Amino acid sequence: MSRQALPIDLSLYLVLDPDLCGGSAGMVATAQQAAASGVTVVQLRAPNWKKRQWLETATALKAALALLNVPLIINDHVDIALAIDADGVHVGQQDMPADEVRRLLGPNKIVGLSTNSLVQFNEAELMYQAGIIDYVGVGPVYPTGTKKDASPVLASDEVNGMMQNRCLPAVAIGGIQAGKVASLIAQGLNGVAVVSAICGKADVTVATHGLLAEIHAARGNTQ
Amino acid sequence: MSRQALPIDLSLYLVLDPDLCGGSAGMVATAQQAAASGVTVVQLRAPNWKKRQWLETATALKAALALLNVPLIINDHVDIALAIDADGVHVGQQDMPADEVRRLLGPNKIVGLSTNSLVQFNEAELMYQAGIIDYVGVGPVYPTGTKKDASPVLASDEVNGMMQNRCLPAVAIGGIQAGKVASLIAQGLNGVAVVSAICGKADVTVATHGLLAEIHAARGNTQ
């Protein structure tokens, strides 16, 4: 496959949580405010929803985010992504295999893959070089309460091992709160994915600006 | 839309249940034996599965059923149907809307829709006439233990009301066991969908033959 990976700014990647945001309307409001405040990617994730609610919420999110030029990534469900012409799909190790996702979505969409070990990360690097995926999630980097079937927390030297000699863009995920961002950026991650650091916060804009400031400061320090 | 509904023999429609069949391998074995014994359609339904298991099991089912010329219908997940080139998709009222399913699958696949009231049935009749769906499920006609979010049981006169002046093919579903088939066929249903009347039975062939004999006898009696 001669496909080149699509450019994607992983700096601050918001994963929406139905419970923390207070349902569909709260998720759209959170996403809109966070995107207007500088979040660079938004993912819709709702493992317990029926597809009717998925479709309705994804449609509303796409309309809100397209105005702000922030890509919308659909967790797991390729059919929802196809139905609303989303910007991409993110899958885990137990979801549809990434090569099948790529085949269904075609070359002009973003495909992301969760990796929870160095072995999975190295497999993902080959998929990146083959044009199958565009980025990986790496985690959990901290204990998380928002993903019930999360893998064990990665050791810091495992993450360091992943960041050596790799081409594929990587976003850290899992329990990332304000104050925990700088070390991940310093380790070489291209960005951080957050859930509860934005979802359910009293002031989403303040929370988003705080995280962005940490990212920018950490990048300044490493340059 | 000028599309004509696809012909589908709804006579004996097997809905596979992961628990009753003992997992993926048991589902494939059950489907193969039931199809070889005269089941006319098989649906894969597994609300709690991750997509990787869906894809693997659907791939195995398709290979087994294609040899027997029995169509494989995928419950809910259009992406799985697209990935394995299944014969069709069945959706409920809270799943992806049927017109969106049709758009994603194209004209040459079967689309089925669950209806649990006369209002829903009449809406479905219009969708059938518009070429969006090919058949409906009608139920539950009896109390069921295999679908946790089942609607209230339909009254017999509701089912009779649905069978008046309709074009769309309809299969009864919900708690249908051996001995309960004849009255449904006499009411005008095109077939019966079963779960526990076949899944988990000690002899799938005997169970299938018994149900088919009831269907044929009831049809003979109504002619």
Side-chain angles (χ1 to χ4, degrees):
Chain A
M1 198 188 296
S2 63
R3 178 185 179 273
Q4 297 260 317
L6 296 174
I8 176 170
D9 181 356
L10 295 171
S11 298
L12 185 52
Y13 185 129
L14 172 61
V15 181
L16 294 168
D17 183 274
D19 295 332
L20 292 174
C21 292
S24 293
M27 291 164 93
V28 176
T30 300
Q32 193 158 28
Q33 200 175 342
S37 306
V39 154
T40 56
V41 194
V42 173
Q43 181 189 125
L44 176 57
R45 181 175 181 277
N48 299 321
W49 281 4
K50 303 285 279 181
K51 292 271 175 77
R52 188 71 56 102
Q53 189 171 5
W54 262 100
L55 189 66
E56 291 170 359
T57 307
T59 300
L61 281 171
K62 196 203 165 191
L65 294 174
L67 294 172
L68 298 161
N69 267 323
V70 171
L72 174 63
I73 306 291
I74 299 295
N75 186 279
D76 187 12
H77 293 312
V78 177
D79 45 7
I80 297 293
L82 291 169
I84 69 149
D85 192 29
D87 300 284
V89 166
H90 186 96
V91 286
Q93 296 285 328
Q94 296 305 311
D95 298 333
M96 195 180 278
D99 55 350
E100 192 59 53
V101 176
R102 170 62 62 204
R103 193 176 71 82
L104 292 174
L105 288 181
N108 300 318
K109 298 295 182 185
I110 298 161
V111 175
L113 175 64
S114 296
T115 59
N116 314 113
S117 70
L118 184 56
V119 169
Q120 289 174 3
F121 188 91
N122 289 338
E123 289 170 355
E125 173 76 25
L126 297 178
M127 290 188 219
Y128 176 76
Q129 289 173 13
I132 295 168
I133 65 172
D134 299 291
Y135 76 93
V136 286
V138 164
V141 291
Y142 296 107
T144 171
T146 57
K147 189 165 191 289
K148 295 197 170 62
D149 58 347
S151 300
V153 173
L154 288 169
S156 183
D157 57 359
E158 275 184 290
V159 176
N160 283 332
M162 293 174 180
M163 294 301 106
Q164 307 305 313
N165 306 316
R166 52 101 191 190
C167 297
L168 85 169
V171 60
I173 189 164
I176 301 173
Q177 298 292 339
K180 291 182 167 178
V181 171
S183 62
L184 295 164
I185 300 297
Q187 278 184 291
L189 274 305
N190 300 81
V192 291
V194 298
V195 186
S196 60
I198 290 182
C199 294
K201 289 289 179 191
D203 192 327
V204 164
T205 297
V206 166
T208 304
H209 285 168
L211 294 163
L212 285 170
E214 287 187 56
I215 293 164
H216 295 152
R219 285 181 180 160
N221 291 339
T222 59
Q223 277 168 1
Chain B
M1 198 189 296
S2 64
R3 177 186 178 275
Q4 299 259 320
L6 296 175
I8 174 170
D9 182 354
L10 296 171
S11 298
L12 185 53
Y13 185 130
L14 171 62
V15 181
L16 294 169
D17 182 274
D19 295 332
L20 292 174
C21 291
S24 294
M27 291 163 94
V28 176
T30 301
Q32 192 159 29
Q33 200 174 344
S37 305
V39 154
T40 57
V41 193
V42 173
Q43 182 189 126
L44 176 56
R45 181 177 180 276
N48 299 322
W49 280 5
K50 303 285 279 181
K51 292 271 175 76
R52 186 73 56 104
Q53 188 170 8
W54 262 100
L55 189 66
E56 290 170 358
T57 308
T59 300
L61 280 171
K62 195 201 167 194
L65 294 174
L67 293 173
L68 298 161
N69 267 323
V70 171
L72 173 64
I73 307 290
I74 299 295
N75 186 278
D76 187 13
H77 294 311
V78 177
D79 46 7
I80 297 293
L82 291 170
I84 69 148
D85 191 30
D87 299 284
V89 166
H90 186 95
V91 286
Q93 297 285 327
Q94 296 306 312
D95 297 334
M96 194 178 280
D99 56 350
E100 192 59 54
V101 176
R102 170 62 63 205
R103 192 176 72 81
L104 292 173
L105 288 181
N108 299 319
K109 297 295 181 183
I110 297 162
V111 176
L113 175 65
S114 295
T115 59
N116 314 113
S117 70
L118 185 55
V119 169
Q120 289 174 2
F121 187 91
N122 289 339
E123 289 170 355
E125 173 75 26
L126 297 178
M127 290 187 221
Y128 176 75
Q129 290 173 12
I132 295 168
I133 64 171
D134 299 292
Y135 75 92
V136 287
V138 164
V141 292
Y142 296 106
T144 170
T146 57
K147 189 167 190 289
K148 295 198 169 61
D149 58 347
S151 300
V153 173
L154 288 169
S156 184
D157 57 359
E158 275 184 290
V159 176
N160 282 332
M162 293 174 180
M163 296 300 105
Q164 307 304 312
N165 306 315
R166 51 99 193 193
C167 296
L168 85 169
V171 61
I173 189 164
I176 301 173
Q177 298 292 339
K180 291 181 166 178
V181 171
S183 62
L184 295 164
I185 300 297
Q187 277 183 291
L189 274 304
N190 300 79
V192 291
V194 299
V195 186
S196 59
I198 290 181
C199 294
K201 288 291 182 191
D203 192 326
V204 165
T205 297
V206 167
T208 303
H209 285 168
L211 293 163
L212 285 169
E214 286 187 58
I215 293 165
H216 294 153
R219 285 182 179 157
N221 291 339
T222 60
Q223 276 166 2

